[in-house]
């Protein structure tokens, strides 16, 4: 029905050539066209942040961007945050600190948190809280999310102090 | 000898088994599931709160590219065998229940009521097409205020009933009239516990996939087995031809404890079109068509002697149920009744519940479901009574607490509280909060114009639904039961799978159930997988809600695992030529008591169970698995003491939570980290209700809070970090001693927050503010109090 346009999406280091409707939201291009379903949709008013990705290294809500606007711009999604099989320190800290329950907000939270730490590697608790203001979580009360972000900032790339766990 | 391993996994902080998928974007939620050839559904929803449908013109939509079908309620009349289900039928009480069809027939009763369904090939194009369905309405009078709805001459939501009153349900114990007449002090208060939304970040969604005669419904639900059962009745499809799968579910909070029209519609369309169909709710739809919670007006009377001894309490609850009855709609206000009266000895309790129809969407269970309301009024009434008597509010509580040694304690309503130590949690709380120092600080701050206050909540809640006979048809009257199931299967090489009938959606039972099973099987929890949410796998079960999953589902896991352990011992004994009663499970080894070198591992035992060697007697059945169905004899009653500290900006009315301390007792922890997480989230949900969130309809029944822009859920920026602590009082009800904790924070916290604000504003003469305590409401209350209560 509608006309389509060509767009080149550079996602997690791979380039995809797509023909899309001009109105297609980036989040739907990622999810429905590229099968990258880790980026979630939780609202229709840009409030929840579940769709947060990195666009040229900056945290962006991918429901507020058209796929065509992202043409050629480097995109990172939760799937590409760490090399396959590995975890980014923020992911590791989310796991250690029980910073997720249902996990639906989690990819967006982690993408927002990693961008926050890039800009401000040693944030205070209040800076973390304000930095994550655009991301809603209904499960955790944010307590452990904030803790995880602070912990990730402290350990940086150094090896994390392991949470007590049953097997190594 | 204990049946549990020496160094148990239960009680350990253990990172969650479910997390590696979720932190890397590999979770699989409903909208992540794709089936080739899937058609999309969009729902055309009523823009009117109450109207007759004059006509529906489908032509502009039907003619659009990519549209497969446009169907109205009349078109679909033959697809549904029965109207939507409501399952409460209390003995002796009639509950007015209108016919509620998944797509409206003839009339709409609230904004968002489905009036037509569009099916097409693409997510976007069905939404376009839905906008081209032209519906002509003849508006009818609207009523949104539940108390106005009870007045004579009010517009009627359902004319055939001649009233908007849905039902009245009463329960009482003791002589309330004498109690009120003889008391030294009687206080009264009207309280509004306003309408809220569940607010799961994942909206609802369904994917119905037909294959021959069988249809699989993937749904973001908390109750796959109940859903299949009810769908089979509503659609006339046998259960063996229906499979319901709950994939990863992105939060529920009760809002997905429901059988929704869209679930029925999806299965009906999959059957009619013989194609997979998918519907993903938008947030705007969720605000108008996913059930709301709370919404009641409470008239409370509390009576006491001059020394503070409580003598009676009476509550009249007017509950706004919305336009229809959904699964548990009329029952939710009553669900709090077993703990009405709180953790206090009250010889006379008298409760009346009235349900009311209004032109809004249905209310039903949202986190806490009836118990937050019950806790809100009793705790705030205790503060008011203390004020009236000139007593310290905590001393008044202590004076009336059920004492530790008095458990099991039967209340005036005949409810038996299992165990408790209410003084213990309050003492622990006050170890963390130096109240004298706080009062000094409060004085100093007041002198500088800063209004700081502290509020307390010493709550008890009732959870672990079950017991079936108490809440079932001959008990409270739910046409259901609430036992839970588990099947434990040890595989030939010694790993295990636990199947549960519960359906967790964030609570972490993949981990905590593995811990419970691990101790009883002698298998590392990392080698135990928990399977849930699929009606084609594992035994029947009742789902996850009502803080029931650990105390009912977890106990079922424990029991099934013990059965497996017993059989493992029998096999081990045969292999080692010992008596089964001489086999003990220590550190993952099944060994002969007194001969620690003589042992078999679970892998050896399970191998023998599956491929029997000659020495295994033929009367031992092959295989190593067991099922347990567990129906407890009583509820469990978690409790705790919470304190909230707030600062109120008297200039703007803005409230800031500066400190929150929670001491909870849910029995012995399975995984303490998960308990803290539940408490954090629960408190936040309640802070949201107390300070920010409200579902608002205007006088015409239009939804004002239709998105996350207007429905203000708390963000990280509004909250402090929480201080949590625990005491441990085991429940005698189950072998684990556990009580649920999923709702405790939500149940406890609204009165603590409200009390803190009232404490902060006491010097300004503010005696009461109804939630949500938004800047505007607080500011208005301050100015009204300052102007000597003059009318604005
Ligand atoms: S989906 Fe909610 S902000 Fe993008
Ligand atoms: S973990 Fe469920 S919404 Fe954040």
């Amino acid at each position: 029905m509608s006309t389509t346009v060509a767009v080149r999406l550079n996602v997690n280091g791979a380039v995809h050539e797509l023909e899309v409707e001009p109105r297609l939201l980036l989040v739907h291009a990622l999810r429905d066209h590229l099968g990258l379903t880790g980026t979630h949709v939780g609202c229709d008013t840009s409030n929840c942040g579940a769709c947060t990705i990195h666009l040229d290294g900056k945290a962006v809500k991918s429901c507020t961007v058209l796929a065509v606007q992202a043409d050629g711009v480097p995109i990172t999604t939760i799937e590409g945050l760490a090399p396959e099989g590995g975890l980014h320190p923020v992911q590791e800290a989310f796991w250690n600190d029980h910073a997720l329950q249902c996990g639906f907000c989690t990819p967006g939270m982690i993408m927002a948190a990693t961008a926050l730490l890039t800009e401000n590697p040693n944030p205070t608790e209040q800076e973390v809280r304000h930095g994550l203001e655009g991301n809603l979580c209904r499960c955790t009360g944010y307590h452990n999310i904030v803790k995880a972000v602070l912990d990730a900032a402290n350990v940086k790339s150094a090896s994390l102090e392991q949470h007590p766990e049953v097997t190594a | 000898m204990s049946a549990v391993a020496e160094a148990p996994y239960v009680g350990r902080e253990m990172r969650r088994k479910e997390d590696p998928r979720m932190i890397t974007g590999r979770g699989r939620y409903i909208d992540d599931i794709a089936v080739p050839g899937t058609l999309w559904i969009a729902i055309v929803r009523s823009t009117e709160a109450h109207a007759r449908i004059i006509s529906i013109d489908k032509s502009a939509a039907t003619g659009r590219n990519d549209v497969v079908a446009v169907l109205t309620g009349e078109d679909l009349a033959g697809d549904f065998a029965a109207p939507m289900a409501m399952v409460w039928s209390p003995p002796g009480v009639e509950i007015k229940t209108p016919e509620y069809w998944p797509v409206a027939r003839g009339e709409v009763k609230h904004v968002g009521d489905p009036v037509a369904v569009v099916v097409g090939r693409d997510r976007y194009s069905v939404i376009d097409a839905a906008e081209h369905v032209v519906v002509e309405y003849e508006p009818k009078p609207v009523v949104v205020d539940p108390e106005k709805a009870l007045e004579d001459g009010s517009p009627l939501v359902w004319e055939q009933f001649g009233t908007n009153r849905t039902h009245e349900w009463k329960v009482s114990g003791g002589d309330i009239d004498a109690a009120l007449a003889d008391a030294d002090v009687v206080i009264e208060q009207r309280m509004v516990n306003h309408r809220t939304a569940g607010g799961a970040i994942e909206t609802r969604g369904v994917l119905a996939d037909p294959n021959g005669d069988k249809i699989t419904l993937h749904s973001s639900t908390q109750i796959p087995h109940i859903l299949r059962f009810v769908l089979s009745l509503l659609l006339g499809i046998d259960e063996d031809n229906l499979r319901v799968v709950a994939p990863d579910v992105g939060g529920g909070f009760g809002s997905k404890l429901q059988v929704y029209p869209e679930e029925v519609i999806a299965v009906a369309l999959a059957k009619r079109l013989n194609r997979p169909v998918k519907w993903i709710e938008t947030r705007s739809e969720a605000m108008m068509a996913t059930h709301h919670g709370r919404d009641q007006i409470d008239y409370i009377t509390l009576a006491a002697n001059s020394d503070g001894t409580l003598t009676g309490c009476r509550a009249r609850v007017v509950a706004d149920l919305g336009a229809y009855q959904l699964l548990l709609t009329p029952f939710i206000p009553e669900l709090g009744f077993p703990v009405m009266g709180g953790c206090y000895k009250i010889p006379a309790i008298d409760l009346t519940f009235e349900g009311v129809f209004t032109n809004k969407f249905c209310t039903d269970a949202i986190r806490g479901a009836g118990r937050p309301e019950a806790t809100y009024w009793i705790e705030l009434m205790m503060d008011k009574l203390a004020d009236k008597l000139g007593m310290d509010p905590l001393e008044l509580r202590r004076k009336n607490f059920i004492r530790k040694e008095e458990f099991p304690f039967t209340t005036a309503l005949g409810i038996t509280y299992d165990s408790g130590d209410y003084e213990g949690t309050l003492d622990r709380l006050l170890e963390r909060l130096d109240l004298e120092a706080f009062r000094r600080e409060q004085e100093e701050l007041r002198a500088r114009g800063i209004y700081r206050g502290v509020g307390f909540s010493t709550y008890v809640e009732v959870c672990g639904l079950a017991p079936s006979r108490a809440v079932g048809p001959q008990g409270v009257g739910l046409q259901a039961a609430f036992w839970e199931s588990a099947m434990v299967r040890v595989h030939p090489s010694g790993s295990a799978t636990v199947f549960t009938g519960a359906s967790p959606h964030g609570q972490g039972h993949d981990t905590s159930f593995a811990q419970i099973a691990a101790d009883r099987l002698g298998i590392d929890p990392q080698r135990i997988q928990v399977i849930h949410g699929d009606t084609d796998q594992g035994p029947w079960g009742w789902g996850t809600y009502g803080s029931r999953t650990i105390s009912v589902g977890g106990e079922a896991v424990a029991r099934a695992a013990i059965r497996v352990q017993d059989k493992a011992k029998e096999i081990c004994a045969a292999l080692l030529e010992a008596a089964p009663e001489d086999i003990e499970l220590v550190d993952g080894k099944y060994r002969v008591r007194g001969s620690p070198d003589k042992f078999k591992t679970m892998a050896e035992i399970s191998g023998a169970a599956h491929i029997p060697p000659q020495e295994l007697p033929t009367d031992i059945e092959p295989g190593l698995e067991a099922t347990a169905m567990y129906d407890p004899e009583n509820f469990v009653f978690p409790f705790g003491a919470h304190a909230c500290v707030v600062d109120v900006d008297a200039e703007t009315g803005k409230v800031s939570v500066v400190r929150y301390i929670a001491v909870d007792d849910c029995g012995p922890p399975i995984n303490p980290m998960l308990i803290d997480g539940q408490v954090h989230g629960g408190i936040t949900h309640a802070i949201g209700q107390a300070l920010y969130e409200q579902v608002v309809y205007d006088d015409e029944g239009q939804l004002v809070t239709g998105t996350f822009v207007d429905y203000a859920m708390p963000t990280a920026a509004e909250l402090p970090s929480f201080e949590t602590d625990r005491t441990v009082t085991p429940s005698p009800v189950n072998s684990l001693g556990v009580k649920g904790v999923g709702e405790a924070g939500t149940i406890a916290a609204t009165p603590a927050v409200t009390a803190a604000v009232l404490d902060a504003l006491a010097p300004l003469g503010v005696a009461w503010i109804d939630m949500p305590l938004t800047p505007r409401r607080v500011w208005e209350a301050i100015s009204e109090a300052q102007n000597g209560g003059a009318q604005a």
Side-chain angles (χ1 to χ4, degrees), chain B residues 207-535:
Chain B
L207 169 63
D209 183 14
N211 183 0
D213 285 340
K214 184 153 180 172
I215 299 174
T216 299
L217 177 71
H218 304 264
S219 181
S220 183
T221 182
Q222 300 173 222
I223 49 165
H225 295 272
I226 297 179
L227 179 56
R228 179 176 66 167
F229 178 32
V230 174
L231 284 174
S232 96
L233 301 174
L234 302 195
L235 290 158
I237 302 173
D238 272 340
E239 284 140 293
D240 65 311
N241 275 329
L242 269 179
R243 174 185 180 195
V244 173
V245 180
D248 286 330
V249 172
F253 315 107
S255 71
K256 296 171 184 174
L257 161 52
Q258 192 54 276
V259 177
Y260 279 105
E262 294 85 354
E263 292 171 315
V264 188
I265 290 168
V267 178
L269 291 176
K271 187 176 169 194
R272 173 188 265 256
L273 302 169
N274 198 23
R275 290 276 298 274
V277 293
K278 189 175 194 179
W279 170 76
I280 301 296
E281 187 181 49
T282 64
R283 178 59 55 186
S284 307
E285 284 183 293
M287 296 311 295
M288 65 173 85
T290 289
H291 72 238
H292 300 142
R294 320 281 189 260
D295 209 353
Q296 56 178 248
I297 300 166
D298 304 318
Y299 292 87
I300 313 297
T301 307
L302 188 63
N305 291 333
S306 54
D307 68 352
T309 306
L310 297 173
T311 58
C313 83
R314 182 158 69 192
R316 183 167 80 88
V317 175
V318 178
D320 183 341
L321 304 185
Y324 300 104
Q325 307 281 19
L326 271 173
L327 206 58
L328 296 166
T329 296
F331 178 65
I332 295 305
E334 288 87 345
L335 181 54
F337 95 84
V339 288
M340 288 192 180
C343 49
Y344 312 110
K345 284 179 275 190
I346 307 183
I349 302 175
D350 181 70
L351 310 169
T352 305
F353 301 84
E354 280 179 281
V356 187
F357 287 125
T358 58
N359 292 110
K360 307 177 197 168
F361 194 51
C362 309
T363 50
D364 206 311
I366 295 295
R367 200 171 195 170
R371 290 99 84 210
E373 298 93 315
T375 306
Y376 185 73
W377 63 249
I378 189 66
E379 287 304 293
L380 289 165
M381 289 303 276
M382 290 300 281
D383 286 354
K384 285 200 158 290
L385 180 64
D387 193 42
K388 180 95 177 178
L389 292 167
M391 275 180 83
D392 176 84
L394 297 181
E395 281 316 307
L396 178 68
R397 282 170 168 82
R398 285 186 196 275
K399 185 172 186 63
N400 289 284
F401 276 156
I402 300 162
R403 314 195 71 79
K404 190 178 175 181
E405 59 278 8
E406 290 172 322
F407 290 93
F409 181 86
T410 301
T411 70
L413 297 175
I415 302 291
T416 301
Y417 289 8
D418 59 344
S419 63
D421 180 8
Y422 305 146
E423 296 240 23
T425 48
L426 181 55
D427 289 344
R428 182 68 63 85
L429 181 76
L430 295 173
E431 284 166 22
R432 293 181 155 264
L433 177 80
D434 182 339
L435 197 51
E436 273 177 34
F438 174 84
R439 291 294 177 202
R440 281 196 300 275
E441 181 191 33
Q442 185 180 41
E443 280 304 310
E444 286 161 24
L445 289 170
R446 275 177 189 166
R448 288 161 38 204
I450 297 169
Y451 294 90
R452 177 164 290 186
V454 64
F456 293 91
S457 172
T458 55
Y459 76 97
V460 58
E461 75 114 335
V462 53
C463 68
L465 297 182
S468 299
R469 278 162 195 80
V471 289
Q474 280 110 45
V476 173
L478 294 174
Q479 305 301 300
F482 295 95
W483 42 266
E484 200 44 85
S485 64
M487 183 168 94
V488 172
R489 174 179 296 156
V490 181
H491 305 296
S493 59
S495 71
T497 302
V498 172
F499 300 85
T500 170
S503 196
H505 42 278
Q507 296 85 349
H509 293 111
D510 290 17
T511 308
S512 53
F513 279 12
Q515 290 176 267
I516 291 170
D519 287 342
R520 287 155 183 82
L521 298 173
I523 300 176
D524 189 311
Q526 301 300 339
R527 300 189 68 214
I528 301 175
Q529 192 171 108
V530 178
I531 303 284
H532 51 75
D534 183 344
T535 58

Side-chain angles (χ1 to χ4, degrees), chain A residues 27 39-52 60-64 104 134-136, chain B residues 201 283 708:
Chain A
V27 66
T39 303
H40 297 155
V41 176
C43 73
D44 40 23
T45 49
S46 304
N47 286 91
C48 75
C51 61
T52 306
V60 165
K61 293 179 175 177
S62 62
C63 72
T64 62
F104 197 77
N135 290 67
L136 293 174
Chain B
I201 304 300
R283 178 59 55 186
F708 274 169

Side-chain angles (χ1 to χ4, degrees), chain A residues 31 96 101-102 138 167, chain B residues 15-16 29 32 524 693:
Chain A
R31 292 179 50 83
N96 287 334
Q101 291 179 25
C102 79
R138 192 57 149 177
T167 50
Chain B
R15 294 198 299 187
R16 298 202 317 174
Y29 301 87
D32 304 341
D524 189 311
E693 299 174 28

Side-chain angles (χ1 to χ4, degrees), chain B residues 499-771:
Chain B
F499 300 85
T500 170
S503 196
H505 42 278
Q507 296 85 349
H509 293 111
D510 290 17
T511 308
S512 53
F513 279 12
Q515 290 176 267
I516 291 170
D519 287 342
R520 287 155 183 82
L521 298 173
I523 300 176
D524 189 311
Q526 301 300 339
R527 300 189 68 214
I528 301 175
Q529 192 171 108
V530 178
I531 303 284
H532 51 75
D534 183 344
T535 58
D536 269 9
Q537 292 195 69
W540 218 96
W542 293 88
T544 288
Y545 46 85
S547 303
R548 68 189 299 273
T549 302
I550 272 290
S551 68
V552 192
E555 176 69 11
V557 171
R559 290 179 175 217
I562 289 291
R563 286 177 193 172
V564 170
Q565 184 197 84
D566 287 344
K567 182 165 176 189
K569 285 179 175 169
E570 196 185 348
I571 294 168
C572 179
L575 297 176
L576 295 175
E577 294 176 356
E581 37 309 347
D582 287 338
I583 305 295
E584 58 181 7
L585 172 58
V586 179
D587 290 340
K589 292 175 180 141
Y590 288 77
R591 64 185 200 194
V592 180
R593 191 169 294 120
S595 316
D597 295 342
K598 284 182 78 180
F599 68 86
K600 293 282 176 192
T601 64
M602 182 52 112
E604 292 170 310
I605 294 169
S606 189
H610 286 85
I611 308 169
Q614 289 302 333
E615 60 267 36
L616 207 60
T618 50
D619 60 350
I620 296 183
E621 261 183 38
L624 193 51
E625 62 183 65
T627 301
M629 309 282 182
Y630 169 64
D631 199 347
E633 282 170 10
N634 193 4
F635 305 102
V636 290
F637 296 79
F639 59 94
H642 287 206
C644 178
V645 177
V646 300
D647 281 349
V648 184
D649 183 334
E651 300 291 312
T652 62
K654 183 171 182 291
V655 177
S656 310
V657 178
V658 295
R659 196 174 172 198
Y660 198 102
I661 313 165
V663 179
D664 295 279
D665 192 323
C666 58
I670 305 293
N671 184 334
M673 186 168 75
L674 303 189
I675 293 176
D676 288 342
Q678 290 296 313
V679 171
H680 298 152
I683 294 167
T684 301
H685 209 133
I687 291 175
Q689 178 180 8
L691 298 182
Y692 311 111
E693 299 174 28
Q694 183 174 24
V695 173
V696 179
Y697 287 86
D698 69 14
D699 291 344
E700 275 76 53
Q702 291 296 322
L703 183 62
V704 177
T705 49
T707 68
F708 274 169
V709 175
D710 324 281
Y711 190 82
M713 303 206 304
T715 73
E718 279 100 35
L719 298 164
S721 284
F722 303 115
E723 298 163 53
T724 54
D725 202 346
R726 261 186 300 283
T727 59
V728 176
T729 307
S731 170
V733 174
N734 56 71
S735 76
L736 297 163
V738 293
K739 306 178 179 187
V741 73
E743 297 162 294
T746 309
I747 290 165
T750 50
V753 177
T754 300
V757 173
L758 294 175
D759 182 52
L761 297 180
L764 299 177
V766 175
W768 186 255
I769 318 175
D770 275 316
M771 298 186 293

Side-chain angles (χ1 to χ4, degrees), chain B residues 96-116:
Chain B
K96 295 187 176 61
T97 305
E99 266 189 15
Y100 177 11
W101 295 100
V103 185
R105 298 178 187 174
E107 292 201 348
V108 290
K109 298 294 179 185
H110 69 93
V111 165
D113 226 350
V115 292

